[in-house]
Amino acid sequence: MNYLDSLHWIHERTKFGIKPGVKRMKWMLSNLDHPEEKIHGVHVVGTNGKGSTVSYLRDALVANNYEVGTFTSPYIVTFNERISINGVPITNDDLVDLVQIVKPISERLEAETDLGPATEFEIITLMMFVYFGTIHPVDFVIVEAGLGALNDSTNVFQPIMTVLTSIGLDHTNILGDAYMDIAREKAGVIKPSVPLVYAIKPKDALHFVREVVESHHNKGLELDRDIHVLSDETEFTYRYESYELENIQLKMLGQHQHENAALAITTLIEMYQRGIIQLDFNKMIDAIENTKWSGRIEKVKDEPLVLVDGAHNKESIDALVDTLNQYYSDKKIDVLFAAIDGKPIGKMMNRLEEIANRFYVTTFDFPKALPIDTVYEHLEHKHIEKVENYNDFIDEYDGELLVITGSLYFISEARKLFIK
């Protein structure tokens, strides 16, 4: 198999859908001599903020001379970036080699068990564990969970630290439509003796996670209780125990990024205090201040100004709107929106309408992408225009500020029009 053949085989697994549970993963890993047991991993879970937090952790560790593997999803530029070393995606040859290893195991899974075929995400997760566990060991692997936590295919290893970035309503058709449902699922990654760094806003969910932490006798480090962030317009001060780090100014915009960075800093300090890493604090802060993450309020064009943001649920839309109000209130903001099935698009769009001068909806080439008419029906006030060809629309746009959002998969496609 060449690279395209391998990629086609991986993507072909999407026909098996989403199947929560870890039995298939555990079976395949056991038949590959448990590569997941050979990594030193940090598990990052949460509804929003995972990708940014992974990036802060990676850049800070790399700045302190560690080799760091990351597992992220979905990809924004190239598929290979889902498995990266020090921010550099694995090569096409590496991907081909991995497929040749995991494909026979996945075929045996179907032939020898009644667990059913492995999904696309399970295959990619398996490839990651094989790569960092046997082919290219690194100092640390930062593993971003996919959908959920307890029944997510990444939840099969013993991490050295766990980070829970947030609890919000997303994938409600699978995880449940209440904050407590999501909290129970996310809390499934909390393991005895593994410190948990977490940020949770809904009170019931927060109390539940606290109880789980206490029942496991874990060390729990909680935002706004143990960790404090004092934000100015563009800077923030970080406080935890005897540590106070002032005038931290991030490249990534938004108050929510201050909190994501604070979670990363706390995780690194805890690893330092436990003797897991050596940490130069100046290098850590410098790296975190300069961290960038594609697709997060990212400027892709200056004139006219175009931003792309992968806000794909109500909470991330709230963060986007708050950030736009803070940094771009002097501009007429136009919104181009497309979404996939299973999202609360009515609530998302109604919040976006608060800041939209003109509101456009479109669709894109993706199996779960919603048709334009379906998206249109969810906006209460119909202050909206339909865009049949978003490529032409973007190319001809001549307003003050266009924000492209609604789905990470959509902004990944739209971003290609600007980033070569």
Side-chain angles (χ1 to χ4, degrees):
M1 298 175 74
N2 60 26
Y3 175 71
L4 291 179
D5 292 334
S6 300
L7 210 55
H8 175 74
W9 178 78
I10 294 169
H11 290 324
E12 196 178 31
R13 316 300 294 181
T14 57
K15 67 186 179 186
F16 300 121
I18 298 171
K19 298 188 291 185
V22 295
K23 289 183 178 179
R24 288 175 298 278
M25 280 298 300
K26 288 184 175 180
W27 189 93
M28 291 187 290
L29 288 165
S30 68
N31 282 275
L32 287 168
D33 196 26
H34 288 289
E36 81 284 3
E37 295 179 357
K38 301 169 187 175
I39 69 168
H40 295 96
V42 176
H43 203 183
V44 180
V45 304
T47 306
N48 296 305
K50 297 190 297 290
S52 300
T53 304
V54 168
S55 299
Y56 292 130
L57 287 168
R58 176 201 64 212
D59 288 357
L61 287 169
V62 170
N64 278 273
N65 301 314
Y66 292 102
E67 187 174 45
V68 183
T70 51
F71 178 65
T72 56
S73 62
Y75 67 92
I76 300 298
V77 182
T78 174
F79 180 87
N80 297 30
E81 75 192 48
R82 300 186 71 164
I83 304 172
S84 296
I85 296 178
N86 292 354
V88 179
I90 61 172
T91 66
N92 292 353
D93 288 343
D94 284 335
L95 186 136
V96 171
D97 291 343
L98 286 168
V99 167
Q100 290 175 336
I101 292 170
V102 303
K103 187 173 183 288
I105 295 296
S106 70
E107 291 170 346
R108 284 182 53 199
L109 172 73
E110 293 184 58
E112 299 176 19
T113 77
D114 58 359
L115 297 173
T119 66
E120 181 189 39
F121 190 73
E122 287 170 338
I123 289 296
I124 301 166
T125 307
L126 184 65
M127 290 165 58
M128 177 271 296
F129 282 127
V130 170
Y131 189 72
F132 294 126
T134 58
I135 293 177
H136 192 126
V138 292
D139 296 312
F140 299 102
V141 183
I142 308 170
V143 179
E144 178 187 338
L147 190 158
L150 172 64
N151 293 300
D152 187 76
S153 63
T154 61
N155 194 28
V156 291
F157 74 106
Q158 183 74 4
I160 53 178
M161 294 286 297
T162 302
V163 185
L164 174 51
T165 60
S166 63
I167 285 177
L169 299 179
D170 199 2
H171 302 292
T172 53
N173 56 330
I174 296 172
L175 303 179
D177 57 6
Y179 286 115
M180 279 300 295
D181 294 331
I182 308 294
R184 291 187 185 94
E185 173 68 23
K186 302 297 184 189
V189 299
I190 301 173
K191 297 177 175 63
S193 78
V194 179
L196 178 73
V197 181
Y198 60 103
I200 301 173
K201 304 296 184 184
K203 290 184 178 179
D204 288 349
L206 175 60
H207 292 315
F208 176 78
V209 169
R210 282 178 181 168
E211 290 173 0
V212 175
V213 170
E214 291 172 5
S215 69
H216 284 318
H217 304 290
N218 287 41
K219 183 173 184 179
L221 306 174
E222 180 184 310
L223 186 71
D224 296 332
R225 185 191 68 180
D226 309 291
I227 310 158
H228 297 281
V229 175
L230 306 176
S231 292
D232 198 349
E233 288 188 4
T234 58
E235 300 177 340
F236 73 97
T237 294
Y238 167 89
R239 291 176 183 165
Y240 166 62
E241 293 184 343
S242 61
Y243 299 95
E244 181 171 276
L245 307 173
E246 296 181 316
N247 307 124
I248 302 173
Q249 187 168 359
L250 306 176
K251 282 278 198 300
M252 293 205 278
L253 302 180
Q255 183 95 10
H256 58 295
Q257 291 296 353
H258 296 178
E259 297 182 353
N260 294 336
L263 296 180
I265 292 169
T266 307
T267 303
L268 293 161
I269 289 175
E270 184 66 18
M271 292 169 67
Y272 167 70
Q273 290 182 336
R274 289 171 175 259
I276 298 172
I277 59 171
Q278 296 297 311
L279 190 62
D280 182 315
F281 278 62
N282 289 327
K283 290 180 179 178
M284 171 183 72
I285 295 302
D286 186 60
I288 286 174
E289 286 187 322
N290 287 287
T291 294
K292 296 179 181 178
W293 186 234
S294 299
R296 273 66 174 183
I297 313 183
E298 180 186 10
K299 184 192 296 184
V300 292
K301 189 176 181 181
D302 288 312
E303 190 62 41
L305 182 58
V306 180
L307 306 176
V308 296
D309 187 77
H312 57 284
N313 52 47
K314 176 58 166 57
E315 288 78 13
S316 55
I317 289 289
D318 287 340
L320 171 60
V321 170
D322 291 344
T323 305
L324 291 171
N325 279 328
Q326 181 179 354
Y327 290 92
Y328 297 103
S329 60
D330 60 328
K331 294 188 178 296
K332 291 182 178 179
I333 302 172
D334 299 324
V335 174
L336 178 62
F337 181 92
I340 63 173
D341 193 21
K343 303 291 182 175
I345 59 173
K347 294 178 180 178
M348 295 165 65
M349 294 170 67
N350 285 317
R351 184 72 211 279
L352 282 168
E353 193 183 29
E354 295 176 16
I355 50 96
N357 172 54
R358 293 176 293 183
F359 202 127
Y360 304 92
V361 295
T362 190
T363 190
F364 61 110
D365 185 17
F366 186 74
K368 293 170 62 181
L370 290 172
I372 295 175
D373 289 342
T374 302
V375 178
Y376 179 83
E377 291 167 1
H378 280 80
L379 193 64
E380 291 179 1
H381 303 106
K382 297 295 185 288
H383 170 61
I384 194 169
E385 296 179 44
K386 300 177 184 179
V387 171
E388 297 293 338
N389 187 319
Y390 70 84
N391 285 13
D392 290 345
F393 171 83
I394 292 171
D395 187 53
E396 296 167 4
Y397 176 75
D398 61 356
E400 284 190 33
L401 168 57
L402 177 64
V403 177
I404 304 171
T405 190
S407 164
L408 277 166
Y409 298 101
F410 174 51
I411 66 109
S412 175
E413 291 301 311
R415 190 178 180 275
K416 293 176 184 177
L417 303 176
F418 304 95
I419 310 297
K420 304 301 181 186

